[in-house]
């Protein structure tokens, strides 16, 4: 499942980290693949990127087996394929490679069946790394921030999804749409949720992820919100989302 939206700052990495950790706490085996050159999912789970010898870049471009790159048990039930700044060059270097759109799919295909869920945290762009995620994934989870222009970037993403579905990955579909940074005190947040629900219908999760200070703080302590502030609103909302994900199958 690719966690994707080419707009930055909508809560992709926050969702990747915290949904993965919540599912792990519920007894699921989860793999999180950090495909963002900023490596926020890696640092947000306490990985010291300067200590990482091989990352997803080496899997995509140097034929290093993904099994050799996995960092096991970064949290209960959660393994991680880290990203480092090396990945920033991958967009350019992939251009001249054979079967460039299939690199990620080929690399993680062997892991199907070993995990209950494999999540891919995508970069905030629609470049070759994101295309790799679209080809490798069965489903898309789209976080949308409760703010003006919330749907504006999503139409471009849906166009890209249709093109990949037609040419490269006929299985690809939207799994769910997640409303993030929700503030129930503002009319705007409520209006955006209504607008997105009228557009996507039942694909929108019931769970709304609130805007909280603790959710913003947790990555700087290298912990998911379920460890950093387990009784807070943020942790409860991601546990609630994890239950919805399990119920959707």
């Amino acid at each position: 499942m690719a966690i994707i939206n080419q707009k930055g700052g909508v809560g992709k990495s926050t969702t990747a980290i915290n949904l993965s950790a919540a599912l792990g706490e519920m007894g699921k085996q989860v793999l999180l693949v950090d495909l963002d050159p900023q490596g926020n999912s890696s640092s947000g789970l306490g990985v010291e990127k300067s200590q990482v010898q091989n990352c997803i870049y080496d899997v995509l471009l140097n034929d290093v087996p993904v099994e050799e790159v996995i960092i096991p048990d970064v949290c209960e039930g959660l393994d991680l394929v880290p990203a480092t700044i090396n990945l920033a060059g991958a967009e350019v270097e992939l251009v001249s490679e054979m079967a460039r759109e299939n690199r990620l799919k080929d690399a993680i295909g062997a892991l199907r069946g070993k995990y209950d869920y494999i999540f891919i945290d995508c970069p905030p762009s629609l470049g070759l790394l994101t295309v790799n995620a679209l080809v490798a994934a069965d489903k898309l989870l789209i976080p949308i921030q409760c703010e003006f222009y919330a749907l504006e970037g999503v139409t471009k993403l849906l166009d890209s999804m249709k093109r990949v579905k037609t040419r490269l990955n006929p299985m690809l579909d939207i799994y769910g749409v997640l409303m993030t940074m929700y503030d129930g005190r503002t009319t705007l947040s409520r209006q955006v949720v209504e607008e997105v629900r009228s557009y996507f219908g039942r694909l929108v999760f019931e769970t709304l992820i609130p805007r909280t200070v603790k959710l913003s703080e947790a990555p700087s302590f290298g912990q998911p919100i379920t460890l950093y502030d387990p009784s807070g609103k943020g942790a409860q909302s991601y546990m609630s989302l994890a239950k919805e994900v399990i119920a959707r199958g």
Side-chain angles (χ1 to χ4, degrees):
M1 201 181 302
I3 299 175
I4 188 166
N5 186 335
Q6 83 271 19
K7 275 179 88 167
V10 299
K12 281 190 296 291
S13 297
T14 302
T15 296
I17 291 167
N18 294 315
L19 175 57
S20 298
L23 286 164
E25 282 196 18
M26 290 179 179
K28 301 295 183 185
Q29 287 298 311
V30 183
L31 177 68
L32 175 53
V33 179
D34 191 350
L35 200 62
D36 185 348
Q38 293 171 26
N40 291 339
S41 281
S42 303
S43 53
L45 284 165
V47 171
E48 189 57 61
K49 287 183 280 192
S50 59
Q51 307 294 312
V52 172
Q53 287 188 312
N54 286 327
C55 77
I56 188 66
Y57 169 87
D58 301 284
V59 174
L60 296 174
L61 283 149
N62 296 333
D63 296 322
V64 173
V66 70
E67 291 85 353
E68 291 181 20
V69 177
I70 291 172
I71 302 173
D73 301 318
V74 286
C75 290
E76 184 184 348
L78 174 57
D79 295 351
L80 175 73
V81 175
T84 64
I85 195 62
N86 293 352
L87 194 57
E91 290 280 358
V92 176
E93 291 170 56
L94 278 167
V95 170
S96 58
E97 292 289 323
M98 293 281 287
R100 59 193 182 185
E101 296 96 349
N102 292 302
R103 286 298 174 105
L104 184 62
K105 180 184 179 182
D106 294 345
I108 62 178
L111 300 175
R112 280 182 183 271
K114 292 186 182 176
Y115 291 93
D116 297 306
Y117 298 95
I118 297 176
F119 292 109
I120 306 165
D121 183 17
C122 297
S125 68
L126 290 174
L128 263 176
L129 287 174
T130 299
V131 170
N132 263 270
L134 290 169
V135 173
D138 305 314
K139 305 277 183 196
L140 305 183
L141 196 164
I142 306 173
I144 297 181
Q145 192 178 353
C146 294
E147 60 158 31
F148 274 125
Y149 310 125
L151 284 169
E152 192 179 63
V154 177
T155 47
K156 287 197 193 80
L157 171 60
L158 297 180
D159 287 345
S160 298
M161 181 189 117
K162 282 175 192 154
R163 282 205 299 278
V164 169
K165 189 174 167 119
T166 305
R167 296 178 187 162
L168 296 164
N169 181 3
M171 306 297 289
L172 191 63
D173 258 315
I174 297 174
Y175 176 79
V177 175
L178 177 66
M179 303 305 302
T180 62
M181 302 179 201
Y182 177 75
D183 184 348
R185 298 168 302 179
T186 68
T187 310
L188 175 63
S189 268
R190 295 195 297 273
Q191 284 174 339
V192 171
V193 170
E194 281 173 29
E195 185 186 357
V196 171
R197 285 213 161 113
S198 69
Y199 189 86
F200 284 105
R202 295 177 63 182
L203 287 170
V204 183
F205 289 104
E206 287 298 318
T207 303
L208 302 170
I209 304 300
R211 186 189 285 279
T212 76
V213 173
K214 296 285 189 191
L215 271 175
S216 310
E217 283 176 356
S220 59
F221 290 89
Q223 290 183 326
I225 194 67
T226 46
L227 289 179
Y228 180 66
D229 182 35
S231 58
K233 281 196 305 186
Q236 287 170 356
S237 63
Y238 274 108
M239 293 302 273
S240 163
L241 176 64
K243 287 175 188 158
E244 273 196 78
V245 167
I246 290 168
R248 283 194 187 191

